[in-house]
Amino acid sequence: MAEEEREALVHLAAVVAHQLKSPLSAVQTVLSTVIGGFAGPLQPRQRWLLEKAWGRCTHGVSLVQDLLKLRSIEQMGDDALGPVNLLATFSMVVDSQADGARRRNVQVESFIDLTEPVHAWIHAERTVVGEAFAVVLDNAVRYSVDGGKVSARLYSEPMSEERGGGVQVCVEVVDAGIGIPPEGYTQIFAEFYRSPEARTMSPDGTGLGLAFASRAVRRLGGRIKLEPADTGGVRAVICFAHCPECATEAEAPLPSLDEPMDRDGEDGPSLRVVVVGGVTAGSKAAAKIMRCDPRARVTIVERGRFLAYSGCGLPYYVSGAVPEQRMLLETPLGLLKDPTSLYEHKRVRTMDLTEAVRIDRQQKTVWVRGLLGGEERELPYDRLILATGASAVVPDLEGSHLPGIYTLHGVEDAEAIRDELASGRVKEVIIVGGGLLGCQITEAVVLRGARLTLVEAGSAVLPIVDEEIGSLVRGELERHGVRVLTGRPVTGFEGEERVRAVRLGDGSTLPCDFVLLTAGLRPEAELAEQAGLKLGSSGAVAVDSTLRTSDPSIYAVGDCAEQLHLVTGIPTWSPGAAAASIQGRIAAVNACGGDESYPGLVETLIVKIFDWGVARTGLTEAQARDSGLAPVCAVVPGPDRAHFIPTAKSLVLKLVVDRESRRVLGAQAVGPGEVAKRIDTVATALMAGMTVDNLACLNLAYAPPYSMVMDNVIVAANVVRDKLTGAYSWISSGELNRRLARGEEVFLLDVRLPTEYGATRLRGSRHIPLATVRSHLRELPHDTPIVIVCSLGLRSYEASLILQQHGFDNTLVLDGGLDAWPFAVERLT
């Protein structure tokens, strides 16, 4: 086929692939959900057919993605190119292939043979180079025999005079696999070519990987070669010319130890700032310092590969809702937040894959160690900002380090988990820990078609909210097929080469293919502690309102630092990206001589769990009681906008108020409706120290498509005010459920309409519609507590007033009504 004809074919295929991408992904998601059993039980024959369809669909999705990547190479402009450090890229690719190699029982060995570390720099596009390397290494692993070995080597060597002299840096991958037939070497880079042996060993290939690698390397000015290896497999080599200018421009992550640090003019930099940690708070602080003082010299020390990525977006990358890793690393304008772009746009130096190992406060230096080469150097500072973040808690249990057990605390974790779930081999997944992350990640696992069990040691899931709200969340999880086990502590993990079961405290075991640990986080404060900085009671770094530590030259921000809780007035540790960004900015201003204060936080959190939003701000009722306060609460269900608007959805709001001061203490909201708006409103009230009376009079925006004429927050505030005046007595859903479980005598009075009562009801309840209560007074007991039930609580409140007028002193309104009742009901339709 002529070159022009082949290019036209590839172009046409890419256009078609673009149109097929979304439909195929949607079909794949639906098939995964059905195969996982979330649409009902399947017969063996049905499952076999669906799994076959899923496999073909997955192959189609891979083909579409490869075609789009292939075409994107031709559309890449020169403005996308810049300094790329092959040492970091090589290590990243080798690590990313580790899980796949382990599953195939293939050993991957890597070697670094650079004549000089600076030779690692080339002029290219980092993502494209990494994908080209990944294709070659993945092929070597994929086509190796069981127990085989793959060697990956990064080296530099002189280039021949015919090629201009200088130095070239190369990646060599050698395997001992099935090899390529002699005639195949002439076709190996052609689109869709696959040798017969490759088709037999891996029938799901697309035949586009090496075509992409070849085009990518040639587009970036490099060379790629495949040839027979002495091992019987294939030797693949990719080479690029070393770019001395790139090394100078980017300032390699680990310059030589004797390199002078002050080169910013005759007088040197105005301020030397070292930022330890380059994700949310650290990258924000570094960028702000350069805006405040362009002559400052700012160096970020980051032990990971990725800077300023969206950690909160990791579950959505796992689920496939965020299709590409790159999207988590980009700005809203599509700029990749990597060391090169940080230097180009902000003039911030970055030492990634580098760990800060100790702080010398007397000499004002930070000692750092390169994770690739192990060499150490010291960085002098005038100001030091600690943004070391938090790390995932791994319980010290038998078998906790078996392969197949993961945490989700970084891009690498998300990549590994996504790879596991996409493999098609994972059928049973167990999440250990029913907290914020544990509940959030359930949707990602279910969408990938796995059966899921969520195990929580405590009595309820999502302990960031109160009992009745957590019970509603549990119902939403179970409606989507998640098996929820509470009060079941995990005592160990079983398996030999891989985890195969989770052992519970009662001695039972749960079989599994994969485990995700979401047992919580802990502040990374070891570096600060070793330097003698004061820690708070939570183990995080103690700071003042300017975010200074006990050493005035050192600041701590983000997930490694304690902050003042504005409701309790007590320092607390509350990890979160939103607060970290604000703290990074304030610390930067103060490091440059400013005088800004961080007032504190109210712990505002929100998470998406399937079709629901779950949010909280301030204190829960339980936390308020533990703090010595006397909380009064209202649980108010209702639509999030005018009920006659077709887009209206329901939500349940719980408001917590202090009885004595009438100060608002917190709120929780759950449901498919717009919960964020309500929680943000209460969070603002908390920051302002408002009372429930202030809250009830807020002038909020109203139009039927956006809210009710009296917003949910205002309704909840008025309910609390009625309670504070003693207008009626109430009982929570949790307390009523406990009384019924204990067999206590309670008269359940349902005052809803007959059609409502005929659909769902509390077992044993007596139905008397509100309009007829007065005519049935003789049927009601005076010596037994009467719990009045309706849908939202309003009709129950009106019924209680009627009964009180007629001498019934022992009446209780079910708080939140049946619309907020999280336990079992009797359904008749």
Side-chain angles (χ1 to χ4, degrees):
M1 182 184 297
E3 182 69 20
E4 294 80 5
E5 293 177 343
R6 196 173 77 213
E7 288 299 317
L9 176 61
V10 170
H11 176 70
L12 176 62
V15 172
V16 173
H18 183 75
Q19 298 299 317
L20 290 175
K21 181 179 181 181
S22 294
L24 276 175
S25 296
V27 171
Q28 187 183 37
T29 298
V30 172
L31 285 172
S32 297
T33 303
V34 175
I35 292 171
F38 303 108
L42 296 172
Q43 298 296 324
R45 176 67 177 175
Q46 293 173 325
R47 178 176 297 279
W48 179 81
L49 288 171
L50 286 169
E51 287 179 346
K52 188 174 182 180
W54 184 87
R56 299 303 298 169
C57 186
T58 301
H59 178 77
V61 171
S62 298
L63 183 61
V64 164
Q65 292 172 340
D66 287 349
L67 282 168
L68 292 176
K69 284 199 303 183
L70 195 65
R71 191 60 187 169
S72 69
I73 294 301
E74 307 303 327
Q75 299 172 334
M76 184 173 59
D78 290 342
D79 57 348
L81 308 184
V84 174
N85 188 293
L86 288 189
L87 183 58
T89 303
F90 173 80
S91 300
M92 178 180 67
V93 172
V94 170
D95 285 352
S96 70
Q97 294 290 323
D99 289 322
R102 187 165 52 246
R103 288 195 301 272
R104 293 185 173 92
N105 193 26
V106 174
Q107 181 183 357
V108 177
E109 297 180 337
S110 61
F111 305 93
I112 307 295
D113 292 329
L114 295 176
T115 308
E116 298 286 345
V118 74
H119 288 167
W121 288 95
I122 64 170
H123 185 67
E125 204 285 328
R126 190 182 71 174
T127 304
V128 174
V129 171
E131 288 178 349
F133 286 175
V135 166
V136 172
L137 186 55
D138 180 70
N139 277 354
V141 171
R142 183 190 299 267
Y143 299 116
S144 288
V145 297
D146 184 60
K149 182 182 292 186
V150 173
S151 170
R153 182 169 70 104
L154 176 69
Y155 65 94
S156 58
E157 63 182 11
M159 281 198 295
S160 65
E161 292 298 329
E162 302 89 76
R163 300 194 61 240
V167 174
Q168 66 178 2
V169 57
C170 305
V171 170
E172 175 193 66
V173 176
V174 179
D175 65 69
I178 62 174
I180 299 173
E183 66 276 8
Y185 284 100
T186 62
Q187 309 174 63
I188 195 64
F189 295 126
E191 293 81 7
F192 305 110
Y193 172 77
R194 303 187 71 216
S195 70
E197 294 82 359
R199 292 178 185 273
T200 300
M201 188 170 186
S202 181
D204 58 343
T206 64
L208 292 173
L210 286 174
F212 164 80
S214 175
R215 286 184 178 232
V217 171
R218 285 189 284 111
R219 170 64 184 85
L220 298 174
R223 296 183 300 116
I224 181 170
K225 176 176 66 174
L226 266 67
E227 62 186 15
D230 295 338
T231 57
V234 176
R235 176 178 181 262
V237 181
I238 297 175
C239 294
F240 295 96
H242 163 55
C243 176
E245 297 80 10
C246 294
T248 302
E249 178 183 353
E251 296 198 5
L254 272 179
S256 60
L257 295 178
D258 57 354
E259 179 185 351
M261 292 296 294
D262 298 334
R263 290 185 172 180
D264 294 340
E266 293 181 0
D267 299 324
S270 58
L271 183 71
R272 298 171 300 180
V273 183
V274 175
V275 180
V276 181
V279 186
T280 303
S283 60
K284 173 63 73 174
K288 181 62 178 177
I289 289 171
M290 295 308 297
R291 288 195 290 270
C292 292
D293 185 355
R295 290 187 57 245
R297 184 184 185 99
V298 180
T299 304
I300 293 177
V301 179
E302 169 56 45
R303 65 184 173 193
R305 298 187 183 87
F306 303 104
L307 303 173
Y309 64 86
S310 174
C312 299
L314 295 178
Y316 308 105
Y317 178 64
V318 171
S319 72
V322 177
E324 298 179 12
Q325 183 190 101
R326 182 187 180 98
M327 297 172 70
L328 299 174
L329 311 174
E330 289 178 336
T331 69
L333 298 177
L335 298 175
L336 190 65
K337 294 178 284 189
D338 62 2
T340 300
S341 64
L342 269 179
Y343 185 75
E344 288 177 347
H345 297 285
K346 309 293 185 185
R347 280 304 188 253
V348 172
R349 281 83 170 170
T350 302
M351 301 173 69
D352 56 355
L353 294 171
T354 304
E355 182 178 22
V357 293
R358 62 185 179 277
I359 300 169
D360 186 333
R361 291 167 53 196
Q362 284 69 39
Q363 298 298 320
K364 285 194 171 183
T365 59
V366 180
W367 280 87
V368 300
R369 178 190 302 123
L371 297 181
L372 297 179
E375 59 267 48
E376 290 192 4
R377 65 167 297 168
E378 59 179 336
L379 302 178
Y381 67 84
D382 300 307
R383 300 288 184 270
L384 174 62
I385 298 179
L386 300 179
T388 47
S391 60
V393 173
V394 178
D396 185 17
L397 300 174
E398 181 183 357
S400 60
H401 296 288
L402 281 170
I405 300 178
Y406 294 89
T407 60
L408 179 57
H409 194 63
V411 178
E412 295 93 339
D413 290 342
E415 194 69 59
I417 294 168
R418 178 167 161 153
D419 185 50
E420 287 270 12
L421 294 174
S423 68
R425 293 183 294 275
V426 174
K427 303 300 182 185
E428 296 284 350
V429 175
I430 295 177
I431 295 178
V432 178
L436 192 70
L437 179 57
C439 290
Q440 181 186 20
I441 195 65
T442 55
E443 181 178 8
V445 175
V446 169
L447 287 176
R448 290 290 183 175
R451 290 182 292 272
L452 176 60
T453 300
L454 180 66
V455 181
E456 165 60 35
S459 60
V461 297
L462 208 62
I464 64 165
V465 296
D466 281 318
E467 172 190 31
E468 61 268 56
I469 304 300
S471 297
L472 289 169
V473 172
R474 176 172 184 158
E476 173 70 357
L477 292 169
E478 292 176 337
R479 277 190 293 276
H480 285 82
V482 179
R483 180 169 59 154
V484 179
L485 303 179
T486 54
R488 308 286 290 276
V490 171
T491 58
F493 304 92
E494 298 180 358
E496 294 182 2
E497 296 182 357
R498 182 180 173 86
V499 66
R500 292 303 177 194
V502 173
R503 188 168 62 248
L504 303 181
D506 59 6
S508 62
T509 58
L510 300 173
C512 64
D513 303 307
F514 168 73
V515 173
L516 182 57
L517 295 178
T518 58
L521 301 172
R522 63 174 182 83
E524 285 278 9
E526 291 84 355
L527 183 67
E529 184 177 23
Q530 291 170 5
L533 298 178
K534 181 181 177 182
L535 302 186
S537 58
S538 66
V541 184
V543 295
D544 63 14
S545 63
T546 67
L547 302 175
R548 288 181 175 88
T549 67
S550 52
D551 184 325
S553 297
I554 303 177
Y555 299 78
V557 293
D559 294 354
C560 70
E562 275 192 346
Q563 304 299 334
L564 182 68
H565 197 298
L566 292 179
V567 181
T568 65
I570 299 172
T572 188
W573 181 64
S574 179
S581 294
I582 296 171
Q583 293 163 25
R585 181 189 179 281
I586 291 174
V589 171
N590 292 338
C592 293
D595 187 26
E596 289 195 11
S597 294
Y598 182 69
L601 43 72
V602 295
E603 289 195 288
T604 303
L605 306 167
I606 188 167
V607 62
K608 180 181 181 294
I609 301 176
F610 291 101
D611 300 325
W612 282 16
V614 185
R616 188 207 79 186
T617 188
L619 303 181
T620 64
E621 180 181 4
Q623 288 173 329
R625 294 190 191 282
D626 291 343
S627 298
L629 301 170
V632 176
C633 306
V635 177
V636 179
D640 62 351
R641 59 205 72 193
H643 66 277
F644 51 79
I645 297 295
T647 56
K649 296 180 180 178
S650 64
L651 62 87
V652 176
L653 178 70
K654 180 173 183 177
L655 184 66
V656 184
V657 174
D658 179 48
R659 180 182 293 276
E660 301 300 324
S661 66
R662 302 176 74 92
R663 183 168 59 110
V664 179
L665 298 178
Q668 301 151 61
V670 61
E674 178 51 75
V675 303
K677 171 183 175 180
R678 278 76 199 185
I679 291 300
D680 286 344
T681 300
V682 179
T684 304
L686 292 174
M687 295 290 290
M690 292 172 62
T691 67
V692 67
D693 306 293
N694 303 138
L695 197 64
C697 297
L698 287 178
N699 183 205
L700 302 178
Y702 165 67
Y706 300 105
S707 65
M708 297 189 294
V709 65
M710 289 187 67
D711 189 80
N712 311 69
V713 171
I714 295 175
V715 172
N718 282 323
V719 171
V720 171
R721 294 170 81 196
D722 285 340
K723 289 182 176 182
L724 288 171
T725 61
Y728 69 97
S729 298
W730 67 95
I731 187 170
S732 71
S733 57
E735 177 58 26
L736 176 58
N737 189 59
R738 283 188 289 272
R739 289 192 185 186
L740 295 175
R742 291 193 297 262
E744 295 185 17
E745 189 175 1
V746 174
F747 187 92
L748 297 175
L749 174 60
D750 194 316
V751 298
R752 295 175 300 156
L753 296 174
T755 53
E756 297 173 279
Y757 185 76
T760 60
R761 65 182 74 169
L762 293 183
R763 186 177 297 277
S765 60
R766 172 70 186 278
H767 180 229
I768 302 176
L770 176 62
T772 65
V773 165
R774 287 183 176 86
S775 61
H776 291 274
L777 294 175
R778 293 182 180 180
E779 303 171 21
L780 303 178
H782 281 272
D783 55 352
T784 301
I786 299 174
V787 176
I788 310 172
V789 178
C790 70
S791 296
L792 305 177
L794 177 60
R795 285 174 288 180
S796 299
Y797 166 57
E798 293 176 350
S800 73
L801 296 179
I802 294 173
L803 295 184
Q804 289 176 37
Q805 292 168 3
H806 289 83
F808 290 87
D809 298 326
N810 198 3
T811 61
L812 299 169
V813 171
L814 177 60
D815 210 13
L818 285 183
D819 280 9
W821 177 260
F823 308 109
V825 295
E826 196 174 29
R827 298 186 182 276
L828 303 181
T829 59

